[in-house]
Amino acid sequence: MPPMSPEFAAVLVLAVSQLLVPLLNGLLSRRQTKHEAAVDQVPLLVQSLTAVAQDVRDIKADLRVVNEHGAKLQTQDLRLRALEDWMGTARPQLHQVVNHVTVLMGERTSRQLQHAANAVAKDTGSGIP
């Protein structure tokens, strides 16, 4: 291949640059348009992220409340079980007390009847002891 003359090389570079410059300018223009569109979206993205962050804070607060209620429910459940256990142990004792009271009331009623019979016998003069 024969050597290129400097003039031919200059003409060739000028011709290529005449084709590449508009192409590069178009690419740069599209890129700038995309960047400008992205910049326009930034406030919306910031607003959206702020709303999401607030929602996350609200959800965390709700979860704390739910956890507190869960702990209270567990405490109430433990208290209820303790009360049921106490009632289970107290019930037989209560039945025993009721039986004793019934026997004592029967004895008292029997004594009262005997006393009344004795009083009537004294009043009537019969000799029933």
Side-chain angles (χ1 to χ4, degrees), residues 74-125:
Q74 285 177 344
T75 302
Q76 292 299 335
D77 189 42
L78 290 174
R79 288 179 180 169
L80 179 62
R81 287 183 185 167
L83 180 61
E84 288 171 346
D85 290 343
W86 177 83
M87 286 173 50
T89 58
R91 219 174 244 129
Q93 294 172 358
L94 181 61
H95 287 300
Q96 187 178 12
V97 168
V98 166
N99 289 337
H100 288 299
V101 167
T102 303
V103 168
L104 291 174
M105 290 297 289
E107 289 177 5
R108 180 174 180 248
T109 303
S110 175
R111 272 191 245 123
Q112 284 177 338
L113 288 174
Q114 185 64 42
H115 179 66
N118 289 340
V120 168
K122 271 188 192 178
D123 287 343
T124 57

mmCIF file of all heavy atoms in Angstrom, residues 74-125:
data_model
loop_
_atom_site.group_PDB
_atom_site.id
_atom_site.type_symbol
_atom_site.label_atom_id
_atom_site.label_comp_id
_atom_site.label_asym_id
_atom_site.label_seq_id
_atom_site.Cartn_x
_atom_site.Cartn_y
_atom_site.Cartn_z
ATOM 1 N N GLN A 74 -50.362 -12.677 77.029
ATOM 2 C CA GLN A 74 -49.650 -13.799 77.655
ATOM 3 C C GLN A 74 -49.742 -13.716 79.172
ATOM 4 O O GLN A 74 -49.948 -14.729 79.847
ATOM 5 C CB GLN A 74 -48.187 -13.808 77.215
ATOM 6 C CG GLN A 74 -47.988 -14.300 75.802
ATOM 7 C CD GLN A 74 -46.531 -14.240 75.369
ATOM 8 O OE1 GLN A 74 -45.718 -13.571 75.994
ATOM 9 N NE2 GLN A 74 -46.206 -14.940 74.289
ATOM 10 N N THR A 75 -49.603 -12.504 79.699
ATOM 11 C CA THR A 75 -49.718 -12.318 81.139
ATOM 12 C C THR A 75 -51.119 -12.694 81.618
ATOM 13 O O THR A 75 -51.273 -13.396 82.626
ATOM 14 C CB THR A 75 -49.410 -10.850 81.518
ATOM 15 O OG1 THR A 75 -48.097 -10.520 81.062
ATOM 16 C CG2 THR A 75 -49.511 -10.621 83.006
ATOM 17 N N GLN A 76 -52.140 -12.245 80.892
ATOM 18 C CA GLN A 76 -53.515 -12.587 81.265
ATOM 19 C C GLN A 76 -53.754 -14.088 81.164
ATOM 20 O O GLN A 76 -54.455 -14.676 81.998
ATOM 21 C CB GLN A 76 -54.520 -11.834 80.376
ATOM 22 C CG GLN A 76 -54.549 -10.340 80.589
ATOM 23 C CD GLN A 76 -54.950 -9.961 81.999
ATOM 24 O OE1 GLN A 76 -55.627 -10.697 82.690
ATOM 25 N NE2 GLN A 76 -54.499 -8.799 82.451
ATOM 26 N N ASP A 77 -53.168 -14.708 80.158
ATOM 27 C CA ASP A 77 -53.305 -16.156 79.999
ATOM 28 C C ASP A 77 -52.674 -16.889 81.180
ATOM 29 O O ASP A 77 -53.259 -17.845 81.719
ATOM 30 C CB ASP A 77 -52.663 -16.600 78.683
ATOM 31 C CG ASP A 77 -52.966 -18.041 78.346
ATOM 32 O OD1 ASP A 77 -54.125 -18.470 78.526
ATOM 33 O OD2 ASP A 77 -52.035 -18.753 77.902
ATOM 34 N N LEU A 78 -51.494 -16.432 81.597
ATOM 35 C CA LEU A 78 -50.846 -17.044 82.761
ATOM 36 C C LEU A 78 -51.693 -16.858 84.018
ATOM 37 O O LEU A 78 -51.835 -17.786 84.832
ATOM 38 C CB LEU A 78 -49.449 -16.450 82.966
ATOM 39 C CG LEU A 78 -48.396 -16.835 81.918
ATOM 40 C CD1 LEU A 78 -47.107 -16.058 82.153
ATOM 41 C CD2 LEU A 78 -48.132 -18.332 81.958
ATOM 42 N N ARG A 79 -52.252 -15.669 84.191
ATOM 43 C CA ARG A 79 -53.102 -15.400 85.358
ATOM 44 C C ARG A 79 -54.353 -16.286 85.323
ATOM 45 O O ARG A 79 -54.784 -16.806 86.361
ATOM 46 C CB ARG A 79 -53.501 -13.930 85.404
ATOM 47 C CG ARG A 79 -52.372 -13.023 85.788
ATOM 48 C CD ARG A 79 -52.807 -11.587 85.803
ATOM 49 N NE ARG A 79 -51.714 -10.714 86.183
ATOM 50 C CZ ARG A 79 -51.746 -9.408 86.077
ATOM 51 N NH1 ARG A 79 -52.827 -8.815 85.609
ATOM 52 N NH2 ARG A 79 -50.718 -8.675 86.436
ATOM 53 N N LEU A 80 -54.935 -16.429 84.138
ATOM 54 C CA LEU A 80 -56.123 -17.262 84.002
ATOM 55 C C LEU A 80 -55.810 -18.718 84.334
ATOM 56 O O LEU A 80 -56.574 -19.376 85.045
ATOM 57 C CB LEU A 80 -56.683 -17.149 82.580
ATOM 58 C CG LEU A 80 -57.924 -17.980 82.275
ATOM 59 C CD1 LEU A 80 -59.086 -17.545 83.154
ATOM 60 C CD2 LEU A 80 -58.281 -17.864 80.813
ATOM 61 N N ARG A 81 -54.687 -19.210 83.859
ATOM 62 C CA ARG A 81 -54.288 -20.586 84.173
ATOM 63 C C ARG A 81 -54.044 -20.761 85.679
ATOM 64 O O ARG A 81 -54.428 -21.782 86.253
ATOM 65 C CB ARG A 81 -53.041 -20.971 83.387
ATOM 66 C CG ARG A 81 -53.331 -21.192 81.921
ATOM 67 C CD ARG A 81 -52.114 -21.638 81.167
ATOM 68 N NE ARG A 81 -52.424 -21.722 79.751
ATOM 69 C CZ ARG A 81 -51.524 -21.840 78.810
ATOM 70 N NH1 ARG A 81 -50.246 -21.903 79.128
ATOM 71 N NH2 ARG A 81 -51.880 -21.899 77.546
ATOM 72 N N ALA A 82 -53.413 -19.770 86.288
ATOM 73 C CA ALA A 82 -53.179 -19.843 87.735
ATOM 74 C C ALA A 82 -54.507 -19.854 88.486
ATOM 75 O O ALA A 82 -54.689 -20.621 89.448
ATOM 76 C CB ALA A 82 -52.312 -18.669 88.196
ATOM 77 N N LEU A 83 -55.459 -19.022 88.041
ATOM 78 C CA LEU A 83 -56.776 -18.988 88.675
ATOM 79 C C LEU A 83 -57.497 -20.325 88.489
ATOM 80 O O LEU A 83 -58.114 -20.844 89.432
ATOM 81 C CB LEU A 83 -57.615 -17.851 88.098
ATOM 82 C CG LEU A 83 -59.024 -17.684 88.653
ATOM 83 C CD1 LEU A 83 -58.980 -17.389 90.150
ATOM 84 C CD2 LEU A 83 -59.755 -16.591 87.905
ATOM 85 N N GLU A 84 -57.403 -20.900 87.296
ATOM 86 C CA GLU A 84 -58.033 -22.204 87.054
ATOM 87 C C GLU A 84 -57.395 -23.285 87.920
ATOM 88 O O GLU A 84 -58.106 -24.144 88.461
ATOM 89 C CB GLU A 84 -57.927 -22.571 85.570
ATOM 90 C CG GLU A 84 -58.837 -21.742 84.675
ATOM 91 C CD GLU A 84 -58.573 -21.957 83.193
ATOM 92 O OE1 GLU A 84 -57.521 -22.550 82.833
ATOM 93 O OE2 GLU A 84 -59.422 -21.535 82.391
ATOM 94 N N ASP A 85 -56.077 -23.236 88.078
ATOM 95 C CA ASP A 85 -55.403 -24.199 88.961
ATOM 96 C C ASP A 85 -55.868 -24.030 90.400
ATOM 97 O O ASP A 85 -56.136 -25.014 91.100
ATOM 98 C CB ASP A 85 -53.874 -24.036 88.886
ATOM 99 C CG ASP A 85 -53.304 -24.481 87.549
ATOM 100 O OD1 ASP A 85 -54.016 -25.210 86.814
ATOM 101 O OD2 ASP A 85 -52.145 -24.115 87.250
ATOM 102 N N TRP A 86 -55.955 -22.779 90.847
ATOM 103 C CA TRP A 86 -56.407 -22.510 92.210
ATOM 104 C C TRP A 86 -57.831 -23.016 92.412
ATOM 105 O O TRP A 86 -58.145 -23.636 93.423
ATOM 106 C CB TRP A 86 -56.325 -21.010 92.497
ATOM 107 C CG TRP A 86 -56.837 -20.671 93.860
ATOM 108 C CD1 TRP A 86 -56.165 -20.741 95.035
ATOM 109 C CD2 TRP A 86 -58.161 -20.222 94.177
ATOM 110 N NE1 TRP A 86 -56.982 -20.358 96.066
ATOM 111 C CE2 TRP A 86 -58.209 -20.035 95.566
ATOM 112 C CE3 TRP A 86 -59.283 -19.957 93.416
ATOM 113 C CZ2 TRP A 86 -59.352 -19.593 96.214
ATOM 114 C CZ3 TRP A 86 -60.429 -19.527 94.052
ATOM 115 C CH2 TRP A 86 -60.452 -19.344 95.449
ATOM 116 N N MET A 87 -58.689 -22.759 91.417
ATOM 117 C CA MET A 87 -60.069 -23.218 91.514
ATOM 118 C C MET A 87 -60.121 -24.747 91.554
ATOM 119 O O MET A 87 -60.941 -25.325 92.286
ATOM 120 C CB MET A 87 -60.894 -22.694 90.340
ATOM 121 C CG MET A 87 -61.220 -21.217 90.446
ATOM 122 S SD MET A 87 -62.015 -20.515 88.968
ATOM 123 C CE MET A 87 -63.335 -21.636 88.656
ATOM 124 N N GLY A 88 -59.267 -25.392 90.776
ATOM 125 C CA GLY A 88 -59.230 -26.854 90.775
ATOM 126 C C GLY A 88 -58.847 -27.412 92.128
ATOM 127 O O GLY A 88 -59.391 -28.437 92.564
ATOM 128 N N THR A 89 -57.930 -26.745 92.814
ATOM 129 C CA THR A 89 -57.537 -27.227 94.154
ATOM 130 C C THR A 89 -58.534 -26.786 95.217
ATOM 131 O O THR A 89 -58.720 -27.476 96.215
ATOM 132 C CB THR A 89 -56.134 -26.722 94.532
ATOM 133 O OG1 THR A 89 -56.112 -25.300 94.491
ATOM 134 C CG2 THR A 89 -55.077 -27.286 93.597
ATOM 135 N N ALA A 90 -59.221 -25.665 95.012
ATOM 136 C CA ALA A 90 -60.157 -25.151 96.020
ATOM 137 C C ALA A 90 -61.494 -25.881 95.971
ATOM 138 O O ALA A 90 -62.180 -25.979 96.999
ATOM 139 C CB ALA A 90 -60.371 -23.657 95.833
ATOM 140 N N ARG A 91 -61.868 -26.379 94.813
ATOM 141 C CA ARG A 91 -63.175 -27.016 94.663
ATOM 142 C C ARG A 91 -63.374 -28.199 95.625
ATOM 143 O O ARG A 91 -64.407 -28.258 96.311
ATOM 144 C CB ARG A 91 -63.349 -27.440 93.202
ATOM 145 C CG ARG A 91 -64.734 -27.210 92.713
ATOM 146 C CD ARG A 91 -64.884 -27.490 91.222
ATOM 147 N NE ARG A 91 -65.239 -26.237 90.574
ATOM 148 C CZ ARG A 91 -64.639 -25.734 89.528
ATOM 149 N NH1 ARG A 91 -63.653 -26.366 88.966
ATOM 150 N NH2 ARG A 91 -65.039 -24.603 89.013
ATOM 151 N N PRO A 92 -62.438 -29.167 95.704
ATOM 152 C CA PRO A 92 -62.638 -30.266 96.661
ATOM 153 C C PRO A 92 -62.728 -29.771 98.100
ATOM 154 O O PRO A 92 -63.532 -30.285 98.893
ATOM 155 C CB PRO A 92 -61.410 -31.156 96.468
ATOM 156 C CG PRO A 92 -60.858 -30.801 95.139
ATOM 157 C CD PRO A 92 -61.245 -29.386 94.899
ATOM 158 N N GLN A 93 -61.921 -28.784 98.450
ATOM 159 C CA GLN A 93 -61.969 -28.241 99.804
ATOM 160 C C GLN A 93 -63.319 -27.580 100.065
ATOM 161 O O GLN A 93 -63.896 -27.711 101.153
ATOM 162 C CB GLN A 93 -60.837 -27.243 100.014
ATOM 163 C CG GLN A 93 -59.465 -27.884 99.967
ATOM 164 C CD GLN A 93 -58.344 -26.836 99.988
ATOM 165 O OE1 GLN A 93 -58.598 -25.652 99.993
ATOM 166 N NE2 GLN A 93 -57.107 -27.317 100.000
ATOM 167 N N LEU A 94 -63.830 -26.885 99.063
ATOM 168 C CA LEU A 94 -65.126 -26.233 99.203
ATOM 169 C C LEU A 94 -66.238 -27.280 99.377
ATOM 170 O O LEU A 94 -67.126 -27.110 100.217
ATOM 171 C CB LEU A 94 -65.412 -25.349 97.987
ATOM 172 C CG LEU A 94 -66.727 -24.579 97.982
ATOM 173 C CD1 LEU A 94 -66.781 -23.626 99.179
ATOM 174 C CD2 LEU A 94 -66.894 -23.811 96.692
ATOM 175 N N HIS A 95 -66.170 -28.349 98.613
ATOM 176 C CA HIS A 95 -67.162 -29.418 98.767
ATOM 177 C C HIS A 95 -67.096 -30.032 100.174
ATOM 178 O O HIS A 95 -68.132 -30.332 100.780
ATOM 179 C CB HIS A 95 -66.962 -30.501 97.695
ATOM 180 C CG HIS A 95 -67.389 -30.079 96.335
ATOM 181 N ND1 HIS A 95 -68.672 -29.695 96.031
ATOM 182 C CD2 HIS A 95 -66.698 -29.976 95.169
ATOM 183 C CE1 HIS A 95 -68.764 -29.377 94.757
ATOM 184 N NE2 HIS A 95 -67.571 -29.535 94.210
ATOM 185 N N GLN A 96 -65.892 -30.196 100.678
ATOM 186 C CA GLN A 96 -65.719 -30.752 102.025
ATOM 187 C C GLN A 96 -66.329 -29.812 103.068
ATOM 188 O O GLN A 96 -67.035 -30.242 103.984
ATOM 189 C CB GLN A 96 -64.234 -30.974 102.303
ATOM 190 C CG GLN A 96 -63.959 -31.691 103.599
ATOM 191 C CD GLN A 96 -62.462 -31.919 103.792
ATOM 192 O OE1 GLN A 96 -61.639 -31.348 103.072
ATOM 193 N NE2 GLN A 96 -62.127 -32.733 104.768
ATOM 194 N N VAL A 97 -66.094 -28.511 102.919
ATOM 195 C CA VAL A 97 -66.659 -27.525 103.841
ATOM 196 C C VAL A 97 -68.181 -27.543 103.756
ATOM 197 O O VAL A 97 -68.878 -27.500 104.780
ATOM 198 C CB VAL A 97 -66.099 -26.111 103.547
ATOM 199 C CG1 VAL A 97 -66.888 -25.036 104.280
ATOM 200 C CG2 VAL A 97 -64.630 -26.041 103.906
ATOM 201 N N VAL A 98 -68.715 -27.637 102.529
ATOM 202 C CA VAL A 98 -70.172 -27.677 102.357
ATOM 203 C C VAL A 98 -70.746 -28.909 103.052
ATOM 204 O O VAL A 98 -71.778 -28.837 103.732
ATOM 205 C CB VAL A 98 -70.542 -27.660 100.853
ATOM 206 C CG1 VAL A 98 -72.003 -28.033 100.640
ATOM 207 C CG2 VAL A 98 -70.257 -26.295 100.265
ATOM 208 N N ASN A 99 -70.062 -30.038 102.906
ATOM 209 C CA ASN A 99 -70.531 -31.258 103.580
ATOM 210 C C ASN A 99 -70.521 -31.087 105.100
ATOM 211 O O ASN A 99 -71.482 -31.475 105.778
ATOM 212 C CB ASN A 99 -69.671 -32.459 103.172
ATOM 213 C CG ASN A 99 -69.926 -32.882 101.747
ATOM 214 O OD1 ASN A 99 -70.986 -32.601 101.189
ATOM 215 N ND2 ASN A 99 -68.959 -33.558 101.146
ATOM 216 N N HIS A 100 -69.462 -30.513 105.650
ATOM 217 C CA HIS A 100 -69.381 -30.284 107.096
ATOM 218 C C HIS A 100 -70.485 -29.342 107.556
ATOM 219 O O HIS A 100 -71.129 -29.579 108.591
ATOM 220 C CB HIS A 100 -68.013 -29.725 107.497
ATOM 221 C CG HIS A 100 -66.894 -30.709 107.425
ATOM 222 N ND1 HIS A 100 -66.853 -31.863 108.175
ATOM 223 C CD2 HIS A 100 -65.753 -30.708 106.679
ATOM 224 C CE1 HIS A 100 -65.746 -32.537 107.898
ATOM 225 N NE2 HIS A 100 -65.057 -31.855 106.984
ATOM 226 N N VAL A 101 -70.712 -28.279 106.794
ATOM 227 C CA VAL A 101 -71.756 -27.311 107.164
ATOM 228 C C VAL A 101 -73.118 -27.983 107.115
ATOM 229 O O VAL A 101 -73.960 -27.763 107.998
ATOM 230 C CB VAL A 101 -71.694 -26.075 106.235
ATOM 231 C CG1 VAL A 101 -72.940 -25.207 106.376
ATOM 232 C CG2 VAL A 101 -70.449 -25.256 106.521
ATOM 233 N N THR A 102 -73.331 -28.814 106.113
ATOM 234 C CA THR A 102 -74.617 -29.515 106.018
ATOM 235 C C THR A 102 -74.832 -30.419 107.216
ATOM 236 O O THR A 102 -75.924 -30.447 107.809
ATOM 237 C CB THR A 102 -74.660 -30.335 104.708
ATOM 238 O OG1 THR A 102 -74.435 -29.468 103.603
ATOM 239 C CG2 THR A 102 -75.994 -31.030 104.544
ATOM 240 N N VAL A 103 -73.776 -31.147 107.595
ATOM 241 C CA VAL A 103 -73.885 -32.019 108.772
ATOM 242 C C VAL A 103 -74.150 -31.189 110.019
ATOM 243 O O VAL A 103 -75.036 -31.512 110.839
ATOM 244 C CB VAL A 103 -72.613 -32.880 108.926
ATOM 245 C CG1 VAL A 103 -72.581 -33.574 110.287
ATOM 246 C CG2 VAL A 103 -72.517 -33.883 107.798
ATOM 247 N N LEU A 104 -73.389 -30.092 110.171
ATOM 248 C CA LEU A 104 -73.576 -29.241 111.349
ATOM 249 C C LEU A 104 -74.961 -28.613 111.363
ATOM 250 O O LEU A 104 -75.588 -28.507 112.431
ATOM 251 C CB LEU A 104 -72.492 -28.167 111.398
ATOM 252 C CG LEU A 104 -71.077 -28.670 111.699
ATOM 253 C CD1 LEU A 104 -70.083 -27.507 111.573
ATOM 254 C CD2 LEU A 104 -71.003 -29.281 113.090
ATOM 255 N N MET A 105 -75.438 -28.173 110.217
ATOM 256 C CA MET A 105 -76.779 -27.583 110.147
ATOM 257 C C MET A 105 -77.826 -28.633 110.497
ATOM 258 O O MET A 105 -78.813 -28.341 111.174
ATOM 259 C CB MET A 105 -77.044 -26.995 108.756
ATOM 260 C CG MET A 105 -76.231 -25.754 108.444
ATOM 261 S SD MET A 105 -76.611 -24.377 109.536
ATOM 262 C CE MET A 105 -78.231 -23.935 108.965
ATOM 263 N N GLY A 106 -77.601 -29.864 110.031
ATOM 264 C CA GLY A 106 -78.529 -30.946 110.381
ATOM 265 C C GLY A 106 -78.543 -31.198 111.867
ATOM 266 O O GLY A 106 -79.613 -31.368 112.480
ATOM 267 N N GLU A 107 -77.350 -31.200 112.464
ATOM 268 C CA GLU A 107 -77.266 -31.400 113.920
ATOM 269 C C GLU A 107 -77.938 -30.249 114.647
ATOM 270 O O GLU A 107 -78.650 -30.442 115.634
ATOM 271 C CB GLU A 107 -75.812 -31.549 114.356
ATOM 272 C CG GLU A 107 -75.167 -32.844 113.927
ATOM 273 C CD GLU A 107 -73.695 -32.918 114.319
ATOM 274 O OE1 GLU A 107 -73.198 -32.000 115.008
ATOM 275 O OE2 GLU A 107 -73.040 -33.891 113.908
ATOM 276 N N ARG A 108 -77.720 -29.029 114.176
ATOM 277 C CA ARG A 108 -78.316 -27.855 114.817
ATOM 278 C C ARG A 108 -79.832 -27.929 114.714
ATOM 279 O O ARG A 108 -80.547 -27.674 115.690
ATOM 280 C CB ARG A 108 -77.794 -26.582 114.158
ATOM 281 C CG ARG A 108 -78.363 -25.327 114.754
ATOM 282 C CD ARG A 108 -77.684 -24.095 114.154
ATOM 283 N NE ARG A 108 -78.233 -22.906 114.738
ATOM 284 C CZ ARG A 108 -78.982 -22.020 114.091
ATOM 285 N NH1 ARG A 108 -79.252 -22.198 112.824
ATOM 286 N NH2 ARG A 108 -79.436 -20.958 114.687
ATOM 287 N N THR A 109 -80.301 -28.248 113.506
ATOM 288 C CA THR A 109 -81.741 -28.354 113.314
ATOM 289 C C THR A 109 -82.314 -29.454 114.213
ATOM 290 O O THR A 109 -83.378 -29.291 114.835
ATOM 291 C CB THR A 109 -82.056 -28.651 111.837
ATOM 292 O OG1 THR A 109 -81.484 -27.636 111.032
ATOM 293 C CG2 THR A 109 -83.545 -28.727 111.580
ATOM 294 N N SER A 110 -81.604 -30.563 114.305
ATOM 295 C CA SER A 110 -82.043 -31.672 115.162
ATOM 296 C C SER A 110 -82.105 -31.226 116.620
ATOM 297 O O SER A 110 -83.073 -31.514 117.338
ATOM 298 C CB SER A 110 -81.093 -32.852 114.998
ATOM 299 O OG SER A 110 -81.407 -33.879 115.888
ATOM 300 N N ARG A 111 -81.089 -30.483 117.075
ATOM 301 C CA ARG A 111 -81.073 -29.992 118.458
ATOM 302 C C ARG A 111 -82.210 -29.007 118.690
ATOM 303 O O ARG A 111 -82.848 -28.999 119.745
ATOM 304 C CB ARG A 111 -79.722 -29.333 118.773
ATOM 305 C CG ARG A 111 -78.708 -30.340 119.271
ATOM 306 C CD ARG A 111 -77.469 -29.648 119.846
ATOM 307 N NE ARG A 111 -76.353 -30.010 118.980
ATOM 308 C CZ ARG A 111 -75.563 -29.167 118.340
ATOM 309 N NH1 ARG A 111 -75.713 -27.885 118.515
ATOM 310 N NH2 ARG A 111 -74.612 -29.592 117.572
ATOM 311 N N GLN A 112 -82.433 -28.138 117.681
ATOM 312 C CA GLN A 112 -83.516 -27.167 117.826
ATOM 313 C C GLN A 112 -84.865 -27.882 117.934
ATOM 314 O O GLN A 112 -85.726 -27.486 118.733
ATOM 315 C CB GLN A 112 -83.529 -26.196 116.634
ATOM 316 C CG GLN A 112 -82.436 -25.151 116.695
ATOM 317 C CD GLN A 112 -82.434 -24.261 115.457
ATOM 318 O OE1 GLN A 112 -82.956 -24.651 114.413
ATOM 319 N NE2 GLN A 112 -81.833 -23.088 115.587
ATOM 320 N N LEU A 113 -85.038 -28.894 117.109
ATOM 321 C CA LEU A 113 -86.291 -29.657 117.168
ATOM 322 C C LEU A 113 -86.437 -30.350 118.533
ATOM 323 O O LEU A 113 -87.527 -30.377 119.125
ATOM 324 C CB LEU A 113 -86.364 -30.676 116.029
ATOM 325 C CG LEU A 113 -86.601 -30.107 114.629
ATOM 326 C CD1 LEU A 113 -86.493 -31.212 113.592
ATOM 327 C CD2 LEU A 113 -87.949 -29.427 114.542
ATOM 328 N N GLN A 114 -85.340 -30.925 119.023
ATOM 329 C CA GLN A 114 -85.367 -31.595 120.333
ATOM 330 C C GLN A 114 -85.685 -30.592 121.425
ATOM 331 O O GLN A 114 -86.478 -30.865 122.325
ATOM 332 C CB GLN A 114 -84.014 -32.266 120.601
ATOM 333 C CG GLN A 114 -83.983 -33.084 121.863
ATOM 334 C CD GLN A 114 -84.948 -34.281 121.800
ATOM 335 O OE1 GLN A 114 -85.033 -34.952 120.774
ATOM 336 N NE2 GLN A 114 -85.657 -34.524 122.876
ATOM 337 N N HIS A 115 -85.045 -29.397 121.336
ATOM 338 C CA HIS A 115 -85.287 -28.358 122.332
ATOM 339 C C HIS A 115 -86.749 -27.917 122.286
ATOM 340 O O HIS A 115 -87.394 -27.739 123.329
ATOM 341 C CB HIS A 115 -84.352 -27.173 122.072
ATOM 342 C CG HIS A 115 -84.527 -26.038 123.024
ATOM 343 N ND1 HIS A 115 -84.228 -26.149 124.376
ATOM 344 C CD2 HIS A 115 -85.006 -24.778 122.866
ATOM 345 C CE1 HIS A 115 -84.491 -25.009 124.980
ATOM 346 N NE2 HIS A 115 -84.975 -24.148 124.078
ATOM 347 N N ALA A 116 -87.275 -27.746 121.067
ATOM 348 C CA ALA A 116 -88.681 -27.353 120.924
ATOM 349 C C ALA A 116 -89.594 -28.431 121.487
ATOM 350 O O ALA A 116 -90.598 -28.136 122.167
ATOM 351 C CB ALA A 116 -89.004 -27.068 119.463
ATOM 352 N N ALA A 117 -89.267 -29.692 121.218
ATOM 353 C CA ALA A 117 -90.090 -30.798 121.740
ATOM 354 C C ALA A 117 -90.044 -30.814 123.258
ATOM 355 O O ALA A 117 -91.073 -31.043 123.926
ATOM 356 C CB ALA A 117 -89.615 -32.129 121.163
ATOM 357 N N ASN A 118 -88.869 -30.595 123.834
ATOM 358 C CA ASN A 118 -88.741 -30.554 125.297
ATOM 359 C C ASN A 118 -89.550 -29.403 125.877
ATOM 360 O O ASN A 118 -90.191 -29.540 126.930
ATOM 361 C CB ASN A 118 -87.288 -30.443 125.723
ATOM 362 C CG ASN A 118 -86.501 -31.718 125.475
ATOM 363 O OD1 ASN A 118 -87.097 -32.790 125.340
ATOM 364 N ND2 ASN A 118 -85.187 -31.608 125.435
ATOM 365 N N ALA A 119 -89.499 -28.248 125.196
ATOM 366 C CA ALA A 119 -90.241 -27.089 125.689
ATOM 367 C C ALA A 119 -91.734 -27.361 125.637
ATOM 368 O O ALA A 119 -92.476 -27.018 126.576
ATOM 369 C CB ALA A 119 -89.898 -25.851 124.860
ATOM 370 N N VAL A 120 -92.198 -27.988 124.566
ATOM 371 C CA VAL A 120 -93.614 -28.304 124.442
ATOM 372 C C VAL A 120 -94.006 -29.337 125.505
ATOM 373 O O VAL A 120 -95.065 -29.248 126.127
ATOM 374 C CB VAL A 120 -93.941 -28.817 123.008
ATOM 375 C CG1 VAL A 120 -95.331 -29.421 122.948
ATOM 376 C CG2 VAL A 120 -93.789 -27.694 122.012
ATOM 377 N N ALA A 121 -93.155 -30.304 125.732
ATOM 378 C CA ALA A 121 -93.442 -31.344 126.724
ATOM 379 C C ALA A 121 -93.531 -30.749 128.112
ATOM 380 O O ALA A 121 -94.355 -31.158 128.924
ATOM 381 C CB ALA A 121 -92.376 -32.433 126.658
ATOM 382 N N LYS A 122 -92.663 -29.776 128.412
ATOM 383 C CA LYS A 122 -92.702 -29.124 129.733
ATOM 384 C C LYS A 122 -93.994 -28.362 129.866
ATOM 385 O O LYS A 122 -94.595 -28.357 130.939
ATOM 386 C CB LYS A 122 -91.541 -28.147 129.871
ATOM 387 C CG LYS A 122 -90.307 -28.745 130.422
ATOM 388 C CD LYS A 122 -89.341 -27.601 130.678
ATOM 389 C CE LYS A 122 -87.980 -28.139 130.968
ATOM 390 N NZ LYS A 122 -87.016 -27.069 131.165
ATOM 391 N N ASP A 123 -94.400 -27.673 128.791
ATOM 392 C CA ASP A 123 -95.609 -26.867 128.856
ATOM 393 C C ASP A 123 -96.836 -27.742 129.004
ATOM 394 O O ASP A 123 -97.797 -27.370 129.683
ATOM 395 C CB ASP A 123 -95.760 -25.985 127.597
ATOM 396 C CG ASP A 123 -94.772 -24.834 127.608
ATOM 397 O OD1 ASP A 123 -94.219 -24.515 128.680
ATOM 398 O OD2 ASP A 123 -94.529 -24.244 126.533
ATOM 399 N N THR A 124 -96.836 -28.868 128.360
ATOM 400 C CA THR A 124 -98.005 -29.735 128.391
ATOM 401 C C THR A 124 -97.949 -30.686 129.586
ATOM 402 O O THR A 124 -98.924 -31.332 129.916
ATOM 403 C CB THR A 124 -98.136 -30.564 127.097
ATOM 404 O OG1 THR A 124 -96.972 -31.323 126.900
ATOM 405 C CG2 THR A 124 -98.416 -29.676 125.929
ATOM 406 N N GLY A 125 -96.827 -30.822 130.184
ATOM 407 C CA GLY A 125 -96.704 -31.654 131.360
ATOM 408 C C GLY A 125 -96.434 -33.113 131.075
ATOM 409 O O GLY A 125 -96.485 -33.923 131.955
#
